[in-house]
Amino acid sequence: MFSLLAASLPPRTAPAARLLALQCVLRCDRSGSIALPRGLVHGLNLGPTGPLWQQLLDARWVHTVAETCEGFRTQLNDPLTGLPGRGPRARAAHWASVQSSGASVRDAGTAARLASVMLLAHTEPGLGNGAADSHMLARMCGMALHELLATTRELLDYGVLESCSFIGGEDLMWSWPEAPPRRKAGPLKAKDTAESDQPADVWG
């Protein structure tokens, strides 16, 4: 999902707009129609959403955003193809909204909160650490590498991350103070419950 956003949004799209776009693509139906409840958008703690919607409109990522008493309705310009079904995406959307607005990160900037969700999504299930190519991580967040490193420093200062450093030259390795919320590796199976964590293929 982060790869899709990185490929379809302009590089300088604001982190807050990316968090909004993430909820859109995870909550839309197969035709690309989206309805975001007002309470959900408010709970994301993104600040004024008018400029964020305008960024997505200017990027021609969505069109005809309509604000109603219930929330916001819009439509993706490009239909979804080859993505997981709506059930796994809906559970991933809930997980992402919780992780990007929880008590540990709520006072951090939107760039740090976006990076936190992205790092959690790329953490090995059941482990308290992860590692990946630093340039790939920065691209998925729509940041230059030095901007990503600044956001990881902010996450360290807030105690969200326990450590973050380079290994092997290009790879970034990070660890969490305690095991992060579990995320199932591999496709969701019928026996998985609504409380199960998100399948890795949602986040590729």
Side-chain angles (χ1 to χ4, degrees), residues 6-110:
S8 60
L9 288 172
R12 303 314 299 175
T13 302
R18 289 179 182 274
L19 285 170
L20 184 60
L22 180 61
Q23 288 297 315
C24 287
V25 77
L26 288 172
R27 294 179 184 274
C28 69
D29 62 21
R30 282 292 181 183
S31 68
S33 180
I34 304 155
L36 295 183
R38 185 176 299 277
L40 168 70
V41 175
H42 177 75
L44 293 174
N45 195 29
L46 301 178
T49 56
L52 307 183
W53 286 119
Q54 191 60 53
Q55 286 191 47
L56 300 183
L57 286 164
D58 290 345
R60 299 186 178 181
W61 198 77
V62 297
H63 59 84
T64 63
V65 175
E67 185 172 2
T68 69
C69 57
E70 292 86 9
F72 300 87
R73 301 189 68 87
T74 187
Q75 176 80 30
L76 295 179
N77 270 328
D78 294 324
L80 296 178
T81 57
L83 290 180
R86 196 172 184 184
R89 285 189 291 110
R91 293 193 292 276
H94 174 72
W95 180 86
S97 67
V98 170
Q99 300 308 321
S100 66
S101 59
S104 63
V105 296
R106 190 168 183 83
D107 293 330
T110 52

Side-chain angles (χ1 to χ4, degrees), residues 105-126:
V105 296
R106 190 168 183 83
D107 293 330
T110 52
R113 290 192 281 130
L114 173 65
S116 175
V117 174
M118 188 269 299
L119 292 176
L120 277 168
H122 289 85
T123 296
E124 286 294 322

Side-chain angles (χ1 to χ4, degrees), residues 140-186:
M140 286 191 171
C141 286
M143 302 177 188
L145 181 56
H146 73 274
E147 293 172 323
L148 175 63
L149 297 179
T151 64
T152 59
R153 170 52 59 186
E154 186 176 355
L155 293 173
L156 287 166
D157 291 344
Y158 274 94
V160 178
L161 286 177
E162 184 174 75
S163 66
C164 188
S165 60
F166 279 102
I167 58 170
E170 297 284 316
D171 286 353
L172 198 66
M173 183 175 183
W174 60 92
S175 65
W176 308 91
E178 55 187 38
R182 291 178 58 241
R183 199 176 35 80
K184 282 192 177 293

